[in-house]
Amino acid sequence: MSRLVIVSNRVAIPTRRGGAEGGLATGLLEALRPHGGLWFGWNGRLAEVIPAAPALETGGDIVFALTPLTRREFEGYYVGFANRCLWPVFHAQLHLMHYDATALGIYLEVSRRWAETLIPLLHPEDVIWVHDYHLIPLGRALREKGVRAPIGFFLHTPFLGVDLLRALPGQTHLIEKLLAYDLIGFQTPLDCQSFYRALGFFLPEAHREPGGIRYAGRLTRVESFPIGINVEEVAHLARSGRNNRHGRRLETSLTGRRLILGIDRLDYSKGLANRFRAYEQLLERWPEFQRRVVLLQIAPLSRTEVPEYDEIRRELNTIVGDIHARYAEYDWLPLRYMTRGFPRSTILGFLRQAEVGFITPLRDGMNLVAKEYVASQDPEAPGVLVLSSLSGAAQELEEALIVNPYDTEQMAAALAQALGMGLEERRARFQAMMERLGRQDIHRWIASFRDALAATTHAVSGD
Ligand code: F6P
């Protein structure tokens, strides 16, 4: 089997205490674990001078090749273009988009530099799998420097409609760069459809053929590969986390109150303001739940260098304060809101303890926490998932209570429905979702992408 080379902005080296944190990182580690390989990306640090060769670290059969960013790269590539421009556009938050031509230039430069740094590490039989919106131009940069290996790209975020992309300066060039890949993977069939529509609009000279898209003498295959989870591992960690020190402390602190739980990075795309407002409406319209429920929202700080993340943080602090001022009692705090993180097994243990998983992003490529909520449940007494219709996961987890994350009344009603749902219905919904999660797990995601990428080598007609 050829060696797998993964390139992503973040590289998460597993710590001794547990796996790498976060969905993307966990998924990529699973991809490399069985046969080893190379994982190239940012070491998370800034340096004044970039060493010519990346630092190599080894973990089992995996070699991690890490490079720092200069401050200019960090501000232009990571903060500026990837997270202040592409991220809000890809999550339909145009009012938060900040375009800066210099940042775009640095974004393109980083891909060119990474291509140069990666090439000396490549073996002739490698297949290369590039991840996410940070690195769209990397495939083209590698091709321009003569790399002929199969190169695939997977977008973890949503790919949205033409109307949004029209607002993104330079969108045609970015789309064209995507066509340097042999395979483009999206999370859902809807994302694929949006991509085809975008091609028709911005790049009509690209031809759709049965095997993919023909453009500039090469064929690019486009498919959806919904990312999954390691179902058995999640269930196992959730069982142990349920009874660890934190799990027991949470249980004791609830004093029999029913737990509604949300877990998200603190990101404006996660819909936390609407989620808190919806919970407030639950307490208002169904006063019988006052004193009987607790919403625990764990939202670890994220991208604190991006100003818009500071704004959402302040907004949430205000909303939480409002809700406390209105409903808190001297012996009951309706909403517990924390911005620190916990080890993975503790989080999964908390999910197992929650009667309702409340996951309502305004947009999300997939949302693996939704899947983890289901897999962490006790099959004998599973909880209920309330899930945003605008997450990729909603296209698979149909038996969740699907809500529009902009409709706070509907979300409040779904919470009330979830809290009132009988055991039989909860079990039936849980079982249906578990079957699907088992069929579309992380191993299937990896194998299907790798197989599809390997198959493109026969279809490529030249660079
Ligand atoms: O899942 C989307 C994603 O942007 C990943 O690519 C990334 O690793 C994760 O969110 C966390 O964001 P960041 O790397 O900016 O901290």
Side-chain angles (χ1 to χ4, degrees):
M1 189 182 246
S2 44
R3 184 178 71 151
L4 182 60
V5 174
I6 284 185
V7 189
S8 63
N9 176 62
R10 280 269 175 219
V11 176
I13 301 174
T15 58
R16 266 191 237 129
R17 286 176 55 224
E21 314 295 326
L24 181 140
T26 313
L28 299 191
L29 202 57
E30 291 281 338
L32 286 171
R33 224 175 236 146
H35 309 285
L38 179 72
W39 188 352
F40 179 92
W42 179 33
N43 68 2
R45 291 195 285 274
L46 303 186
E48 276 177 29
V49 181
I50 302 289
L56 300 181
E57 285 186 33
T58 311
D61 291 337
I62 306 172
V63 175
F64 298 92
L66 305 166
T67 180
L69 294 175
T70 61
R71 174 151 297 280
R72 179 175 164 275
E73 287 177 339
F74 176 72
E75 281 167 7
Y77 148 79
Y78 174 79
V79 174
F81 195 70
N83 285 316
R84 295 195 79 189
C85 192
L86 286 181
W87 180 268
V89 176
F90 284 1
H91 291 83
Q93 305 296 312
L94 273 190
H95 59 295
L96 299 178
M97 177 186 110
H98 290 263
Y99 173 74
D100 170 354
T102 308
L104 171 58
I106 299 171
Y107 172 84
L108 298 171
E109 248 174 50
V110 166
S111 268
R112 286 196 294 270
R113 171 167 85 73
W114 282 24
E116 268 164 28
T117 319
L118 175 62
I119 285 171
L121 305 177
L122 294 178
H123 298 167
E125 78 292 356
D126 284 345
V127 293
I128 303 169
W129 188 0
V130 178
H131 289 262
D132 233 355
Y133 58 99
H134 315 84
L135 297 171
I136 290 172
L138 184 65
R140 164 75 62 214
L142 288 166
R143 291 274 177 247
E144 280 170 1
K145 291 179 195 307
V147 173
R148 297 182 66 85
I151 314 179
F153 175 81
F154 185 80
L155 185 68
H156 290 258
T157 69
F159 192 92
L160 296 178
V162 167
D163 257 352
L164 285 162
L165 291 177
R166 283 174 63 208
L168 174 68
Q171 74 290 87
T172 305
H173 293 300
L174 280 182
I175 292 172
E176 197 179 8
K177 285 187 189 302
L178 276 174
L179 295 179
Y181 290 99
D182 299 304
L183 173 65
I184 306 172
F186 292 106
Q187 295 275 22
T188 71
L190 267 181
D191 299 304
C192 289
Q193 284 170 26
S194 304
F195 181 66
Y196 281 124
R197 277 200 293 272
L199 274 182
F201 189 87
F202 296 107
L203 212 58
E205 58 275 39
H207 279 287
R208 197 167 164 178
E209 292 182 4
I213 293 159
R214 188 159 298 277
Y215 181 73
R218 81 175 10 260
L219 192 67
T220 298
R221 192 167 155 179
V222 176
E223 253 181 75
S224 66
F225 301 88
I227 189 168
I229 57 170
N230 185 334
V231 180
E232 289 82 32
E233 188 193 58
V234 167
H236 170 76
L237 288 174
R239 278 194 301 273
S240 62
R242 170 67 184 83
N243 292 313
N244 75 12
R245 185 167 57 90
H246 294 295
R248 286 198 306 272
R249 264 179 64 190
L250 173 60
E251 182 182 10
T252 310
S253 75
L254 288 171
T255 57
R257 293 187 169 110
R258 307 177 68 187
L259 179 65
I260 303 170
L261 180 59
I263 312 262
D264 311 77
R265 278 185 308 105
L266 206 170
D267 191 306
Y268 51 78
S269 68
K270 301 295 182 183
L272 298 179
N274 288 358
R275 189 179 307 173
F276 292 172
R277 292 294 184 206
Y279 177 65
E280 190 178 22
Q281 286 179 32
L282 171 83
L283 301 177
E284 186 182 317
R285 286 171 56 198
W286 285 271
E288 63 271 28
F289 288 121
Q290 287 179 26
R291 304 179 55 87
R292 298 224 163 79
V293 291
V294 168
L295 169 59
L296 170 60
Q297 176 63 53
I298 298 179
L301 293 181
S302 177
R303 302 181 192 159
T304 45
E305 310 79 3
V306 181
E308 292 70 35
Y309 287 67
D310 219 35
E311 281 161 32
I312 182 69
R313 185 148 62 109
R314 281 199 299 270
E315 186 190 343
L316 293 173
N317 287 346
T318 306
I319 298 175
V320 172
D322 283 353
I323 295 177
H324 284 167
R326 191 159 166 210
Y327 289 103
E329 306 240 1
Y330 59 83
D331 60 352
W332 172 59
L333 210 55
L335 204 176
R336 300 180 189 176
Y337 168 60
M338 320 175 55
T339 57
R340 62 169 278 208
F342 288 93
R344 186 164 155 72
S345 69
T346 295
I347 289 290
L348 294 171
F350 286 176
L351 287 171
R352 187 175 176 93
Q353 209 168 142
E355 289 191 42
V356 182
F358 197 18
I359 311 286
T360 55
L362 302 178
R363 292 281 170 166
D364 218 332
M366 177 52 64
N367 198 299
L368 291 178
V369 177
K371 294 186 170 183
E372 287 172 345
Y373 176 73
V374 176
S376 62
Q377 294 308 293
D378 174 357
E380 294 308 314
V384 181
L385 176 62
V386 175
L387 177 62
S388 164
S389 56
L390 301 181
S391 66
Q395 291 179 47
E396 288 171 81
L397 300 177
E398 293 161 14
E399 293 79 10
L401 297 183
I402 305 289
V403 293
N404 181 329
Y406 290 93
D407 185 345
T408 50
E409 275 187 34
Q410 186 200 27
M411 287 196 278
L415 285 178
Q417 186 187 346
L419 290 163
M421 195 179 286
L423 182 58
E424 210 176 309
E425 181 175 353
R426 284 188 278 133
R427 274 197 194 139
R429 287 174 184 264
F430 164 78
Q431 279 158 9
M433 290 193 278
M434 279 300 272
E435 267 168 37
R436 219 162 299 126
L437 289 184
R439 279 202 304 274
Q440 296 272 57
D441 71 355
I442 188 73
H443 308 296
R444 165 89 194 276
W445 179 69
I446 293 158
S448 52
F449 192 94
R450 276 195 83 150
D451 290 351
L453 185 55
T456 61
T457 52
H458 307 295
V460 173
S461 65
D463 297 340

